[in-house]
């Protein structure tokens, strides 16, 4: 079994120090706040549709009895769980730990890798690996969220007419297919509508909640933490299993953190505290009041808050809101996959930037179609949002627990937080989130195994690719030899070659070794170009690199041999544009000659991989590594190289 992959795909290592994020610290603008409503809060903002009815679902293997004490206890538990995990931890604390303005689990991983040195190196690398598993779990979440969100919205049609049950699956399928088919157009096409629509959605949540509360104002007593404490400790057996469903009320919490780089910490925090949190909590209390009036309102409690005449408009608004929620998590999956690729945990993927004005909006075709197929499989397999909810919680809480652990390490390593503070505050957070995780594990045989399986598969692919890259890099280094020695020999006339006019750019992994394509060209064609540029593209562990720090030119010990080495640095959220980057080289840096980039020839090395006898990895991992290489994007397209002036030279390497 063999596979071909470009050499640069296997040698991408993050280095360097981060420049300041250009948007960090900017003024808070209404546009950013509205934008945050549309992108950040779609997932957590649509949880009221299905969360409460899932908690009291009689078909649950561990049902929560419906009585007055339990309704008060559950509503109180929801309020304080969301307050502690989302408001206190994510909004109040975690969002202060950023990687040059960017947040999310991948940002924490890069911060940890940056501090992975000395005595704590082993622990840091272990946590980084755990973070990769958390990112893999997020991919599982990205498959489940569109399925459960759209399903739960379409299921609202049952409150209009019970005879329309047969329409639910077909309608859900059509919506999901259209959603993924439109991804290639980019979220910027409809993005301007997301904020106002979600603004209307949160207004509807609040109004519906107020209406429900007006019918039974006593539900407001649930704001007291005593009801949550009495529910948990007074009936722990029931409460423990209920926690697995309470997790659904803070799904999307990671989005607050992950999208920080796009909107900034203040707009996201303001939107949460001033709009989203009050609206969501009012709705949960309104539903609780409705259930207290009649336990038959459990099924479809969200839609039953609305007068019958308004249920069809509410159904339409709900469907649109869930599509936006699905869009948000799909965009998040694109971002995670892109960052994992740039940091060396996945092959280079074809990535299209879909907006000239909003940099973070990208489209990753391979991930898009993988998600679509996976979401449809989940819809056909589980068929109801209640059944899918069992699987949903595990992906959410698993990611949150890992984020808590990574954050505590960063707080100690980066800020020097006192141990007593980490032991008390951090210990409380770990205890709370670990309890939720333990409760969710009780649903493993009922569907929670699914996100774990997805996460484990994605994690295996990521660490296998990283290991395989190391193996191939080592073998290539042995074959290539020193670049400086090669240039010295070339300067001395070894081997004897003819000089042809023009500029040649050879892409390689660094300045230590000579590109395989350069060696092969001289040995086979016995010719060299008048100007030779050995180019290394480095992905920095920061989102973007300032133009002043983009290039580093080295004349390799001689300013007359017409051979230079150029290091081009890009952030992990940037698309490397090699020809454009090279335009910034001054003639003085190029040994007094201006590079003829309009006619330059670009050389790439293609490596043909095949399993070898060396005990570098288990045999199955070798085959997985080779199979994964097949999804590698075209190098010329990735680096924006002109196809009519790009040559590819191949070689074999065993893994």
């Amino acid at each position: 079994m063999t596979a071909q992959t470009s050499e640069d795909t296997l040698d991408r290592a993050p280095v360097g120090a981060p420049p300041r994020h250009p948007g960090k610290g900017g003024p808070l603008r209404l546009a950013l706040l509205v934008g945050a409503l549309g992108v950040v809060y779609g997932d957590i903002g649509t949880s009221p549709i299905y969360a409460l009815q899932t908690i009291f679902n009689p078909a649950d293997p561990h049902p929560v009895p419906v009585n007055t004490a339990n309704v008060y206890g559950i509503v109180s538990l929801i309020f304080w769980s969301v307050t502690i995990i989302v408001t206190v931890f994510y909004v109040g604390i975690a969002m202060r730990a950023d990687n040059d303005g960017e947040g999310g689990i991948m940002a924490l991983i890069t911060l940890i890798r940056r501090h992975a040195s000395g005595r704590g190196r082993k622990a840091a690398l272990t946590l980084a690996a755990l973070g990769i598993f958390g990112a893999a779990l997020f991919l599982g979440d990205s498959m489940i969220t569109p399925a459960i969100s759209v399903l739960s919205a379409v299921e609202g049609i049952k409150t209009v007419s019970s005879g329309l049950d047969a329409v639910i699956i077909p309608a859900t399928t059509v919506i999901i297919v259209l959603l993924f088919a439109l991804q290639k157009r980019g979220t910027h096409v409809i993005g301007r509508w997301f904020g106002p629509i979600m603004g209307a959605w949160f207004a509807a949540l609040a109004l519906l909640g107020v209406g429900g509360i007006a019918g039974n104002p006593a539900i407001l007593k649930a704001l007291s933490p005593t009801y949550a404490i009495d529910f948990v400790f007074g009936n722990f057996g029931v409460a423990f299993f209920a926690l697995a469903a309470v997790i659904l009320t803070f799904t999307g919490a990671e989005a607050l953190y992950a999208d920080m780089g796009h909107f900034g910490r203040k707009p996201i925090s303001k939107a949460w505290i001033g709009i989203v949190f009050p609206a969501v909590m009012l709705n949960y209390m309104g539903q609780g009041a409705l259930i207290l009036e009649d336990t038959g309102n459990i099924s479809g409690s969200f839609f039953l808050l609305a007068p019958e005449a308004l249920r069809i408009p509410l159904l339409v608004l709900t469907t649109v809101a869930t599509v936006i929620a699905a869009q948000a998590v799909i965009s998040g999956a694109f971002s995670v996959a892109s960052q994992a690729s740039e940091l060396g945990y996945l092959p280079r993927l074809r990535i299209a930037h879909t907006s000239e004005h909003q940099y973070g909006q990208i489209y990753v075709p391979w991930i898009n179609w993988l998600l679509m197929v996976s979401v449809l499989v989940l819809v056909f397999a589980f068929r109801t949002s209640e059944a899918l909810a069992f699987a949903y919680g595990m992906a959410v809480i698993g990611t949150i627990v890992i984020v808590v652990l990574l954050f505590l390490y960063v707080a100690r390593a980066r800020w020097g937080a006192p141990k007593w503070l980490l032991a008390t505050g951090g210990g409380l957070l770990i205890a709370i989130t670990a309890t939720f995780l333990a409760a969710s594990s009780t649903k493993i045989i009922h569907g929670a195994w699914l996100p774990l399986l997805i996460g484990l598969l994605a994690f295996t692919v990521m660490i296998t690719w990283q290991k395989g890259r190391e193996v191939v890099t080592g073998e290539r280094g042995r074959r290539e030899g020193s670049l400086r020695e090669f240039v010295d020999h070339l300067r001395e006339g070894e081997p004897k070659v003819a000089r042809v006019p023009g500029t040649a750019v050879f892409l390689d992994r660094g300045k230590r070794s000579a590109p395989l394509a350069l060696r092969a060209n001289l040995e086979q064609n016995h010719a060299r170009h008048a100007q030779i540029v050995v180019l290394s593209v480095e992905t920095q562990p920061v989102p973007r690199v300032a133009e002043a720090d983009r290039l580093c030119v080295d004349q390799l010990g001689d300013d007359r041999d017409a051979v230079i080495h150029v290091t081009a640095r890009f952030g992990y959220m940037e698309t490397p544009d090699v020809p454009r980057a090279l335009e910034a080289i001054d003639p003085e840096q190029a040994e007094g000659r201006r590079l003829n980039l309009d006619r330059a020839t670009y050389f790439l090395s293609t490596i043909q991989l095949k399993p070898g006898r060396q005990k570098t990895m288990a045999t199955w991992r070798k085959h997985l590594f080779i199979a994964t290489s097949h999804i590698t994007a075209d190098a010329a397209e990735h680096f924006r190289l002109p196809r009519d002036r790009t040559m590819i030279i191949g070689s074999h390497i065993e893994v």
Side-chain angles (χ1 to χ4, degrees), residues 388 547 605 631:
L388 199 53
E547 288 300 324
S605 296
I631 68 173

Side-chain angles (χ1 to χ4, degrees), residues 43 57 116 152 318 376 386 520 524 589 634:
D43 193 0
N57 181 14
S152 63
T318 302
L376 290 176
E386 289 91 344
Q524 301 298 324
Q589 295 175 300
D634 179 71

Side-chain angles (χ1 to χ4, degrees), residues 342-355:
E342 295 296 349
L343 292 174
Y345 292 103
L346 285 176
R348 184 184 59 249
L349 302 170
R350 186 168 74 85
I351 297 172
H353 287 258
T354 59
S355 172

Side-chain angles (χ1 to χ4, degrees), residues 77 98 202 264 294 302 335 338-339 347 421 451 467 482 487 528 530:
L77 186 60
D98 66 279
F202 289 119
D294 183 358
F302 171 77
S335 178
S338 172
Q339 293 178 35
L421 180 60
K467 176 63 176 178
S482 168
V487 173
R528 58 154 292 177

Side-chain angles (χ1 to χ4, degrees), residues 62 140 263 350 414 472:
H62 307 99
F263 296 100
R350 186 168 74 85
R414 189 183 187 189
V472 173

